[in-house]
Amino acid sequence: PELKGGMLCPACGLLHGRIGDVAYPFVHLYATTGDRKYLTAAEAAVDWCEANMLFPDGLYRNDRQTEWRSTTAFFAIPLYKALRDYGDRLPAATRDKWRAIFRRASESLYNLYEGGFSPVINYLCVYPEAMFLAWKETGDAKYLKAAERVAAEVRAEGFNDEGFLIGEGYAPLKRFEKSPRGCNLIDLGYNLEESLTALIEYADMSGDAALREKAVASARLQLAFVLPDGAIDNSCGSRSVKWTYYGSRTSDGILPLLVELADELPYASRLSRRVLLLYARCTGSDGLIRGGFMYDEAGEPACVHHSFARAKTLVDFLRSDLGHRPDSGAALPREVQKGDLYFRTLDTHLVACGSWRSTFTANDAYNISRSAAGSGGTLSLLWHEGLGPVLVATLGDYFYAEPMNMQDDRHDMRMNCLAPRITAGRHSNIFDYESTAHGGMKGDGFVYSASGRLTDAKGNKTSEYSLGYTLTSDGLDIRVSSADPLARYLIPLVAGKDDEVRIDGKVATIRRGGWTIRLEVSTDVVLDKCDRGDRIWSPVAGMLCVPLSLSLKEPISMRLECRAN
């Protein structure tokens, strides 16, 4: 019973605690194929959770080595859907057992939240839906009142004046607090893949029109961060420590949000297909989805968490009308974007110039203190329509704050930072939360500059630096200087295992498919330390990169271009 029904993860070497989530997709497969093995697997997964994850208070803990239990809500909701949608196909004993588990979980969640539990926004968003379903199941009005209480709290405090859903984090900021730069804790992955969906589903069921209006407006705003290939640009999000190229590591996926908004977003059908194609690109021959599309090239296995979290929401999509609609032809927001979109409460610019999409950030509101993927004027994402991602910023100070929820590197416990950055020992611009940074359009190009003092992950400051970026449809110009003569500028360019890389003096080129990335610098280009031959790797965003290192003994300039071969 300690092992039977669990799912051994090939990447993490353990049995993840939340696998009860698969009950709904497995029951869906049983109902649609008639194959009894899927029902057996669903029953076994729930029984494993009962045997191994159940706490005395009636909640499931997240994993064996943690006491975190509020993820029970993410188990209870799909279990309710399995009973609602396929209960007539279940054996009576299984149906009765699962109904009793749902009722117990609902009562335990009620006791937790009504006892003073006040978590990050993700859990505040899912609780009203869980309680509303408990009311539908039991008829007990206390659950309805609990749902209304927390929904009112989210409606009143959970959206900032720009319209972002805020509060995805807890340290060093308080949940709804603003940072010294005026930023809030905002995570694009969690918001688009889970929190907003739960709010809208609850609002639709309960008739809370005011909450729905706020949540839909917030979703429209944050869909600006979805790239033309369906990926979610979470390079500047407060929980980018768990960034997958398509969202966030332990959340459910964006498809159910698109289902909810299918009649309101003209591009919903197109985006749903882009997302499915991206999932397919990230899925290996073993059938498991990876956190990015270069895991196999890096020789790294997939964590099962990505698959079992998203499988349950694929059922929502397959059961919906959206799954049968043709591509509407309506373009995605970031396909038609031109120029600069600035978001004050993220201190982040989304920029579109010709074939380029880029993100520049000085955000200082992160969930894990001092683990920014990009502050201090970081170019946190550079994407090209012919090549996809060219630069992807990942955590500068990666540590296992959630060990069971963060994939490690089996060969080297130090996790590579993929952010383009100035570095001098432990100091870097990406930790400089007090930088001066500003940007805007100048003619047909976007100009961005940042300056400050190099800072380490603990906030200790040293020498001054300055950065300048100019993006046009023709390419990217970068200017860098540092008062520290030992400082270097690192620029990890995304490069797959089979991409052709050449470094020749002051020029580096990468050939991928029918395209060439060319970087020309005013000083010699050196290949920095690698851990995969001539590549470095990070499971965050799931990319391999060529780490190019440039001396800053003197100010340097460089130009990055992409050309069709």
Side-chain angles (χ1 to χ4, degrees):
E2 292 80 12
L3 300 175
K4 185 180 179 181
M7 287 190 183
L8 183 61
C9 180
C12 303
L14 52 82
L15 291 93
H16 286 292
R18 291 177 56 183
I19 57 94
D21 290 11
V22 301
Y24 185 38
F26 280 173
V27 167
H28 168 79
L29 286 171
Y30 167 64
T32 53
T33 69
D35 193 331
R36 187 66 167 71
K37 73 179 182 183
Y38 294 117
L39 176 59
T40 300
E43 293 170 330
V46 174
D47 288 347
W48 182 86
C49 291
E50 285 284 288
N52 296 284
M53 294 293 110
L54 185 62
F55 252 46
D57 62 3
L59 298 171
Y60 294 135
R61 55 182 173 169
N62 195 79
D63 286 290
R64 286 182 185 270
Q65 288 79 17
T66 179
E67 293 186 16
W68 189 252
R69 304 185 294 282
S70 47
T71 47
T72 302
F74 299 106
F75 163 81
I77 291 171
L79 189 67
Y80 177 90
K81 290 179 178 179
L83 291 164
R84 178 196 65 193
D85 299 337
Y86 301 113
D88 61 338
R89 301 291 302 273
L90 296 173
T94 300
R95 185 171 58 245
D96 293 344
K97 179 194 287 187
W98 287 6
R99 180 160 284 120
I101 290 173
F102 175 78
R103 287 176 172 241
R104 183 202 66 218
S106 299
E107 178 67 12
S108 299
L109 283 167
Y110 174 87
N111 291 335
L112 176 67
Y113 280 77
E114 303 310 308
F117 181 60
S118 186
V120 298
I121 193 68
N122 179 235
Y123 296 100
L124 294 181
C125 290
V126 75
Y127 181 67
E129 181 178 11
M131 289 297 96
F132 190 89
L133 296 179
W135 170 68
K136 291 188 70 174
E137 166 66 21
T138 67
D140 192 331
K142 74 177 184 181
Y143 294 127
L144 183 59
K145 291 179 181 178
E148 292 171 345
R149 178 186 69 80
V150 174
E153 180 183 353
V154 174
R155 189 171 61 244
E157 299 184 74
F159 300 91
N160 69 15
D161 59 357
E162 283 193 299
F164 283 103
L165 183 68
I166 63 174
E168 194 52 54
Y170 54 83
L173 298 177
K174 295 179 181 177
R175 187 174 54 203
F176 300 134
E177 185 180 6
K178 281 193 173 181
S179 73
R181 300 187 77 92
C183 298
N184 291 115
L185 291 161
I186 299 166
D187 191 79
L188 294 313
Y190 264 90
N191 287 356
L192 290 171
E193 288 206 308
E194 206 159 72
S195 300
L196 289 167
T197 303
L199 285 180
I200 295 170
E201 287 178 347
Y202 164 76
D204 284 341
M205 292 187 298
S206 66
D208 189 335
L211 177 61
R212 191 182 197 281
E213 182 179 0
K214 279 196 168 186
V216 170
S218 188
R220 287 179 177 273
L221 173 77
Q222 293 174 84
L223 282 164
F225 287 80
V226 176
L227 292 161
D229 60 3
I232 295 175
D233 174 8
N234 200 25
S235 61
C236 60
S238 62
R239 299 190 75 175
S240 57
V241 67
K242 293 165 71 172
W243 181 28
T244 63
Y245 187 57
Y246 42 77
S248 194
R249 192 173 187 275
T250 58
S251 54
D252 289 349
I254 197 173
L255 289 175
L257 178 65
L258 301 179
V259 168
E260 289 297 316
L261 301 181
D263 295 329
E264 298 164 74
L265 296 177
Y267 55 83
S269 60
R270 166 169 286 194
L271 179 52
S272 69
R273 277 152 180 76
R274 298 279 174 85
V275 170
L276 289 170
L277 288 171
L278 183 59
Y279 286 177
R281 185 180 181 189
C282 293
T283 298
S285 59
D286 57 7
L288 296 175
I289 188 170
R290 285 98 168 101
F293 48 78
M294 292 187 179
Y295 273 71
D296 288 351
E297 294 180 55
E300 291 296 325
C303 172
V304 297
H305 213 302
H306 303 288
S307 294
F308 69 68
R310 283 164 179 80
K312 62 185 179 183
T313 54
L314 278 172
V315 178
D316 294 329
F317 176 77
L318 291 168
R319 288 178 57 87
S320 74
D321 172 65
L322 182 60
H324 304 281
R325 295 185 188 183
D327 187 331
S328 64
L332 312 184
R334 218 164 176 183
E335 282 186 294
V336 296
Q337 180 196 343
K338 296 183 185 300
D340 174 30
L341 282 176
Y342 176 64
F343 301 97
R344 172 176 41 83
T345 52
L346 272 170
D347 202 354
T348 294
H349 298 260
L350 298 185
V351 183
C353 291
S355 299
W356 297 99
R357 301 295 180 270
S358 63
T359 304
F360 295 87
T361 186
N363 184 19
D364 64 339
Y366 288 92
N367 178 51
I368 301 172
S369 178
R370 312 309 310 179
S371 64
S375 196
T378 300
L379 172 56
S380 64
L381 183 104
L382 185 64
W383 187 95
H384 186 271
E385 66 179 16
L387 284 157
V390 175
L391 288 167
V392 287
T394 62
L395 280 293
D397 184 27
Y398 189 101
F399 65 98
Y400 299 97
E402 300 177 37
M404 266 57 73
N405 285 338
M406 295 165 63
Q407 187 166 337
D408 67 358
D409 182 331
R410 295 172 302 140
H411 308 291
D412 188 345
M413 290 296 285
R414 296 170 300 167
M415 201 60 63
N416 289 299
C417 173
L418 304 186
R421 65 201 185 278
I422 303 170
T423 180
R426 295 180 177 272
H427 295 79
S428 176
N429 68 292
I430 64 174
F431 298 126
D432 183 13
Y433 288 3
E434 299 174 2
S435 65
T436 298
H438 52 84
M441 296 300 294
K442 188 174 182 179
D444 294 332
F446 175 78
V447 179
Y448 187 80
S449 63
S451 61
R453 294 175 62 193
L454 299 178
T455 307
D456 68 13
K458 296 182 179 179
N460 301 308
K461 294 185 177 296
T462 181
S463 305
E464 294 181 348
Y465 70 89
S466 68
L467 284 160
Y469 296 94
T470 300
L471 180 67
T472 67
S473 59
D474 294 329
L476 175 70
D477 290 298
I478 307 174
R479 301 169 306 283
V480 192
S481 67
S482 171
D484 187 333
L486 298 180
R488 303 189 72 84
Y489 185 71
L490 299 181
I491 181 165
L493 293 172
V494 174
K497 180 181 178 182
D498 296 327
D499 292 352
E500 179 188 332
V501 178
R502 291 189 63 183
I503 300 174
D504 185 10
K506 297 178 181 180
V507 177
T509 57
I510 300 172
R511 293 183 182 272
R512 182 188 312 159
W515 292 87
T516 297
I517 303 169
R518 186 177 191 274
L519 180 72
E520 183 171 358
V521 190
S522 60
T523 188
D524 285 341
V525 179
V526 177
L527 185 66
D528 201 47
K529 181 181 178 182
C530 298
D531 65 348
R532 308 291 164 105
D534 58 358
R535 305 287 193 274
I536 59 173
W537 157 256
S538 175
V540 180
M543 301 292 171
L544 286 165
C545 288
V546 174
L548 305 178
S549 177
L550 314 171
S551 172
L552 291 177
K553 288 181 180 179
E554 301 289 340
I556 63 170
S557 61
M558 67 196 83
R559 181 164 181 79
L560 179 68
E561 298 177 342
C562 288
R563 303 172 179 173
N565 293 340

